[in-house]
Amino acid sequence: MTAIADQTGTAVTAALRTIDANMAEFGDRYPGDTTENDRYRPRPANTGWTTSFWPGMLWLAHDLTGDDTYRKAACTHVRSFADRVGRGIDLDTHDLGFLYTLSCVTAWRRSRDPEARRAALSAADHLLSRVLPSAGIIQAWGDLADPRQQGRTIVDSLMNTPLLFWASRTSGDPRYAAAARRHAAQLRDHLLRPDDTTYHTFYWDPATGEPLRGETEQGSADESCWARGQAWGIYGFTLNHQYTGDPSLLAAAVRCADYFLAHLPEDGVAHWDLIFARDAVTTEERDSSAAAIAVNGLLELAAYVPASLADHYRASAGRILRSLIDGYSTVRRPDSNALLLHGVYDKPKAVGVDEGNLWGDYFYLEALTRTARPGWSHPW
């Protein structure tokens, strides 16, 4: 325990040093989705699905240190997100949950900023408008009338339903939570396959709501198991169980976790698709972000399962986190402004391959926070 505590302390110190430098470099702007040659460049505007991971990291830095500088910096981003939802900028996505939970729901919880509350509720309204009534799913991407996108949802969306649960608790309107519950149940029944793997994406008939087919967008093949999607399943099904108490969602999280852990290479950091675990000599890249997401999911899941299984999940999470610190973090890479390297955004499209990425950084820092601050409460 002392060794991992010392290791975590060193990793936290290095992460905070990088965050401090990035605060000075980016100011009120946002880093890109991924690094280029291991360094983030500033993006021109608050667009895309990943920008909230930067204020999310600032809130984690505040939790780790109590330093009010981080709280003030995180709060300054509320205006940008309020402006984004107010002006309808780049809202055609289910990732409004990622975007507004970390940027505005957290600001509302911590500072009771009314602008943050209004923006988050407005984002929840937009997310609710993306529900396909016939199927009860939240459309993932694009214009609701786009025939290529109609009836499609993806496994990542399990992490976006917390915004809807929060909106019901905050507003007293049960519609948000009802939509989230039905959506999570559809993913449980159709994205989670009998062999405990997950589809990345799944289609329903937009007119009848009939389930049609599973596909992949960023995995190796339609029937393979995209590692980050499986990690979203661990964490996302666990979170939806927390909000609903539905034991079938907990069982889904356990199934995702057990398959993920059984398909890891020796150092515990997943390849970008778990199918490559079968090949001992593969040269396929790892996805450190999938590993970081899984650490948090496993630690959260451990609170809801029998003691022997909880011990297994906590030990597995600790092993993965140690490996991330030792071999994938920038503890010994002061030339990089990422926290975690060797991630994969989208290998089939050759985007962000073997680079750092914002969500990997965020979930790595969340994992460090969980370890360094026992009893810490997650923002989801």
Side-chain angles (χ1 to χ4, degrees), residues 275-332:
I275 196 172
F276 300 119
R278 302 170 188 168
D279 183 353
V281 296
T282 184
T283 59
E284 293 291 338
E285 294 84 1
R286 309 300 181 89
D287 183 9
S288 59
S289 72
I293 295 160
V295 169
N296 291 283
L298 291 166
L299 292 174
E300 199 64 32
L301 179 56
Y304 297 93
V305 296
S308 60
L309 192 54
D311 289 344
H312 169 57
Y313 288 157
R314 291 190 184 103
S316 298
R319 171 175 166 255
I320 296 169
L321 181 57
R322 285 192 293 272
S323 188
L324 288 175
I325 294 170
D326 283 344
Y328 298 80
S329 78
T330 56
V331 168
R332 288 175 288 275

Side-chain angles (χ1 to χ4, degrees), residues 98-376:
F98 278 131
L99 288 164
Y100 284 85
T101 298
L102 293 179
S103 66
C104 291
V105 172
T106 301
W108 163 248
R109 286 172 172 157
R110 304 290 186 87
S111 65
R112 285 300 188 257
D113 180 344
E115 184 177 33
R117 181 181 185 274
R118 286 192 299 270
L121 286 173
S122 181
D125 287 336
H126 279 279
L127 191 55
L128 195 63
S129 76
R130 299 187 65 77
V131 173
L132 180 67
S134 60
I137 57 94
I138 300 166
Q139 181 173 306
W141 302 310
D143 189 294
L144 295 172
D146 181 348
R148 171 61 184 155
Q149 302 299 343
Q150 279 185 320
R152 171 194 269 195
T153 196
I154 64 173
V155 67
D156 316 37
S157 62
L158 289 165
M159 297 295 296
N160 289 312
T161 56
L163 177 66
L164 296 175
F165 288 115
W166 170 84
S168 274
R169 290 183 176 181
T170 302
S171 69
D173 187 337
R175 293 178 304 144
Y176 304 101
R181 282 194 297 271
R182 189 178 178 200
H183 177 80
Q186 287 285 62
L187 269 64
R188 173 201 64 205
D189 293 343
H190 297 291
L191 267 78
L192 182 56
R193 296 183 284 226
D195 66 355
D196 300 339
T197 64
T198 48
Y199 285 115
H200 180 190
T201 179
F202 199 93
Y203 283 90
W204 283 258
D205 185 291
T208 67
E210 178 187 359
L212 297 177
R213 67 190 182 279
E215 293 182 357
T216 196
E217 187 71 23
Q218 293 168 252
S220 176
D222 289 342
E223 299 299 324
S224 69
C225 188
W226 179 50
R228 192 158 72 249
Q230 194 77 4
W232 291 136
I234 301 169
Y235 203 173
F237 278 124
T238 301
L239 292 176
N240 281 273
H241 167 71
Q242 286 180 359
Y243 279 105
T244 65
D246 185 340
S248 70
L249 297 176
L250 179 62
V254 168
R255 290 171 60 192
C256 289
D258 289 348
Y259 188 92
F260 187 92
L261 292 174
H263 291 78
L264 297 179
E266 186 176 350
D267 73 350
V269 176
H271 297 96
W272 65 275
D273 195 299
L274 297 181
I275 196 172
F276 300 119
R278 302 170 188 168
D279 183 353
V281 296
T282 184
T283 59
E284 293 291 338
E285 294 84 1
R286 309 300 181 89
D287 183 9
S288 59
S289 72
I293 295 160
V295 169
N296 291 283
L298 291 166
L299 292 174
E300 199 64 32
L301 179 56
Y304 297 93
V305 296
S308 60
L309 192 54
D311 289 344
H312 169 57
Y313 288 157
R314 291 190 184 103
S316 298
R319 171 175 166 255
I320 296 169
L321 181 57
R322 285 192 293 272
S323 188
L324 288 175
I325 294 170
D326 283 344
Y328 298 80
S329 78
T330 56
V331 168
R332 288 175 288 275
R333 283 288 308 276
D335 57 307
S336 175
N337 62 356
L339 305 188
L340 194 64
L341 298 175
H342 307 300
V344 173
Y345 184 176
D346 189 336
K347 177 66 182 288
K349 300 181 189 67
V351 176
V353 178
D354 197 28
E355 293 283 358
N357 52 61
L358 277 184
W359 59 93
D361 283 3
Y362 170 82
F363 285 104
Y364 171 66
L365 190 60
E366 183 179 308
L368 293 178
T369 305
R370 287 175 179 273
T371 305
R373 296 288 182 269
W376 174 83

